Amino acid sequence: MNLWRELMSRKQMIKAFKYSGLYLTVGDDERKIFPKIHSVQNRKYSTEYIFTLPNGLDPHILKKNFFAFHQVFGKNIELKGDYKKFEFHVYKVSLPAELNYDYAAYSEHFGGLDLPIVAGVDLAGKLIAYCMVTNPHLLIAGETGSGKSTQLRSVLSTLIQTLSPDRLQLYLCDLKRSEFYLFRNVEHVQGLFVSAREMLPMLQQLKKEMQHRGDLLDRAEVSHIDELPEKLPYIVLCIDEVALLQDEKDIMTLVEEISAIGRALGVFLILSMQRPDRKVLDGKLKNNLTVRMGFRCADLINSRIIGTPGSEKLKEAGRMLLKLPAFIDLKEVQSPYLSTDKAKKILEGYKCAPPSDRKKQPLNAYESELESENDIFGVLKR
Ligand SMILES: Nc1ncnc2c1ncn2[C@@H]1O[C@H](COP(=O)(O)OP(=O)(O)OP(=O)(O)O)[C@@H](O)[C@H]1O
């Protein structure tokens, strides 16, 4: 970067420090000490700044007043860091309006991700994929037509292609009866549930499975199922339009319980919702949904409930604000577009014989015992 340009970039940054109140005031003359800018690099897609806060400066000021950085640098910015050292990007490009789902390309980035969730691409064209084992429980929310169902389809299709049925078991609840028919007879799918009445026994059984897994952890004196000598499958419970369950207290209590203790036991939630509802997303459940994908929604009240303020301003279908613990700020992401037809073709290769011709594989010996108590899986076999 030439010297003049670097100087201008530094000046902009000092302006953002000033407007956001990010400085210490010292001495009788009230001298301002700003964060130290270590480098300014002009990259292909962005200008990258590295800076550190002076000791004693509260990093929360940066988070709280981040709006001032937007005012100075515009919409397409990103900040990474925790207490002292920060990396800040100002992007020069905007996101693509459509991104075709491409599993082969995504899977090259899955090294180290045991349960990979692909969110999409960010402003730098970088694939944003994360591991659900370390970032459990996902909320996908947005108004009708914003791209939620497409994202659910793509997330589930990716999981199915990545893990074998003995490593991943899916429980799919389709309260609108609109989406999950695609997954019927896929080997990983343990049940497809379309009403609260069908869901309750399944959740009670999952609770027993969690208790069993908890006992195994106690006995082996380990804190996560991945540390057990015998590998247990991850369980993903996906509920499309969870708000329809708002008056089902027993169900919501069990869902909340999974959100609270499922992480170590390998039991994860994916919840989707059209109209965010405080009654459903109360404090406890909401806090445990550590990842939020906020697609376009009606207004700021809705986007605040989701935890992605600003998503009410999104225009394009498939565009979201992503809240992931690793990022200090929300990240704008374009999600992959996977059409129903393409998903059908992909899933064809993972289907087994119709249920009437096969016996469901139990989770484990413990589940076989439960299964004889209550054959909840009948609902899938219609
Ligand atoms: N990732 C994407 N990229 C481009 N276009 C998309 C994407 N996702 C969705 N769309 C477009 O938006 C339309 C609606 O998407 P989708 O059905 O996923 O929305 P939705 O939020 O689930 O709506 P509903 O709640 O009514 O089911 C799709 O038919 C497609 O044309």
Side-chain angles (χ1 to χ4, degrees):
M1 189 184 271
N2 73 39
L3 206 61
W4 183 82
R5 222 166 132 189
E6 181 176 340
L7 212 64
M8 288 294 109
S9 301
R10 282 177 181 267
K11 249 179 111 173
Q12 286 278 89
M13 189 52 119
I14 300 285
K15 213 195 259 183
F17 292 156
K18 249 188 217 166
Y19 292 168
S20 58
L22 197 68
Y23 50 79
L24 288 175
T25 309
V26 294
D28 295 340
D29 56 349
E30 302 204 327
R31 197 162 42 88
K32 289 184 175 64
I33 303 181
F34 290 107
K36 180 170 178 182
I37 303 170
H38 295 271
S39 66
V40 183
Q41 304 266 350
N42 195 21
R43 306 233 182 259
K44 189 172 170 198
Y45 296 109
S46 68
T47 304
E48 176 193 294
Y49 298 77
I50 307 283
F51 64 86
T52 51
L53 303 189
N55 287 339
L57 185 57
D58 181 357
H60 290 108
I61 297 174
L62 181 52
K63 199 165 181 186
K64 187 166 150 253
N65 296 342
F66 196 61
F67 67 89
F69 281 70
H70 281 292
Q71 287 168 344
V72 173
F73 292 103
K75 184 170 153 259
N76 299 337
I77 58 176
E78 182 183 74
L79 183 70
K80 282 185 217 157
D82 38 36
Y83 299 109
K84 189 161 171 75
K85 188 175 178 188
F86 292 88
E87 194 182 306
F88 177 70
H89 293 263
V90 182
Y91 291 103
K92 302 164 190 171
V93 289
S94 40
L95 285 167
E98 193 168 317
L99 176 79
N100 279 323
Y101 180 87
D102 183 353
Y103 178 79
Y106 306 152
S107 60
E108 287 173 17
H109 299 265
F110 289 169
L113 307 184
D114 291 328
L115 201 54
I117 304 287
V118 172
V121 296
D122 70 2
L123 283 158
K126 200 170 116 200
L127 183 78
I128 305 297
Y130 69 90
C131 180
M132 198 173 211
V133 179
T134 40
N135 298 279
H137 315 312
L138 163 66
L139 173 69
I140 302 178
E143 67 187 18
T144 179
S146 62
K148 288 179 314 297
S149 308
T150 305
Q151 181 69 344
L152 261 182
R153 198 183 302 141
S154 113
V155 162
L156 292 173
S157 302
T158 297
L159 288 174
I160 287 166
Q161 290 170 89
T162 310
L163 287 99
S164 58
D166 62 330
R167 296 293 300 129
L168 170 70
Q169 300 193 334
L170 296 170
Y171 292 78
L172 306 180
C173 307
D174 191 0
L175 297 158
K176 286 193 301 181
R177 298 186 187 226
S178 58
E179 180 61 25
F180 292 157
Y181 68 91
L182 281 175
F183 298 93
R184 181 169 284 133
N185 296 336
V186 168
E187 279 188 278
H188 306 67
V189 177
Q190 299 295 305
L192 188 59
F193 307 86
V194 296
S195 69
R197 189 181 56 79
E198 290 175 351
M199 280 180 69
L200 187 60
M202 174 273 286
L203 284 165
Q204 286 162 339
Q205 188 161 326
L206 275 187
K207 182 175 172 160
K208 286 185 184 163
E209 174 62 22
M210 288 201 299
Q211 282 161 349
H212 169 65
R213 290 183 174 204
D215 292 344
L216 290 178
L217 296 188
D218 275 353
R219 244 177 276 145
E221 298 184 356
V222 294
S223 57
H224 195 282
I225 60 150
D226 287 347
E227 297 161 45
L228 289 171
E230 190 199 340
K231 286 255 180 257
L232 291 175
Y234 296 124
I235 294 175
V236 175
L237 168 68
C238 186
I239 308 178
D240 192 14
E241 210 37 75
V242 68
L244 295 175
L245 296 169
Q246 61 174 335
D247 296 322
E248 305 290 340
K249 227 171 158 284
D250 291 348
I251 289 184
M252 288 316 294
T253 305
L254 288 163
V255 169
E256 216 170 88
E257 212 167 304
I258 295 175
S259 80
I261 62 168
R263 179 193 181 124
L265 307 170
V267 183
F268 305 103
L269 293 171
I270 299 179
L271 305 183
S272 98
M273 127 182 329
Q274 200 177 95
R275 194 168 303 114
D277 189 316
R278 268 190 225 284
K279 202 168 146 197
V280 179
L281 269 190
D282 72 343
K284 253 194 276 171
L285 178 60
K286 184 170 163 176
N287 289 341
N288 292 332
L289 297 169
T290 52
V291 184
R292 322 252 177 90
M293 295 181 180
F295 288 82
R296 188 181 58 232
C297 63
D299 52 31
L300 187 60
I301 297 172
N302 281 275
S303 65
R304 282 204 174 123
I305 299 174
I306 303 167
T308 56
S311 54
E312 76 283 0
K313 295 191 194 119
L314 297 173
K315 302 254 179 320
E316 300 82 355
R319 187 72 51 88
M320 73 172 93
L321 292 184
L322 174 68
K323 182 175 186 290
L324 194 65
F327 305 134
I328 197 165
D329 196 26
L330 299 172
K331 193 187 255 294
E332 191 169 340
V333 170
Q334 180 66 29
S335 63
Y337 180 61
L338 175 62
S339 67
T340 317
D341 284 349
K342 190 168 168 187
K344 261 187 203 157
K345 281 199 189 105
I346 292 172
L347 295 170
E348 219 35 69
Y350 296 87
K351 294 204 174 181
C352 46
S356 53
D357 300 346
R358 72 185 158 105
K359 188 164 170 21
K360 188 189 82 64
Q361 293 294 312
L363 266 180
N364 51 36
Y366 175 80
E367 197 200 57
S368 320
E369 189 189 306
L370 287 170
E371 201 178 343
S372 55
E373 279 174 23
N374 190 357
D375 185 10
I376 57 160
F377 299 98
V379 288
L380 177 67
K381 297 168 185 165
R382 287 175 190 157

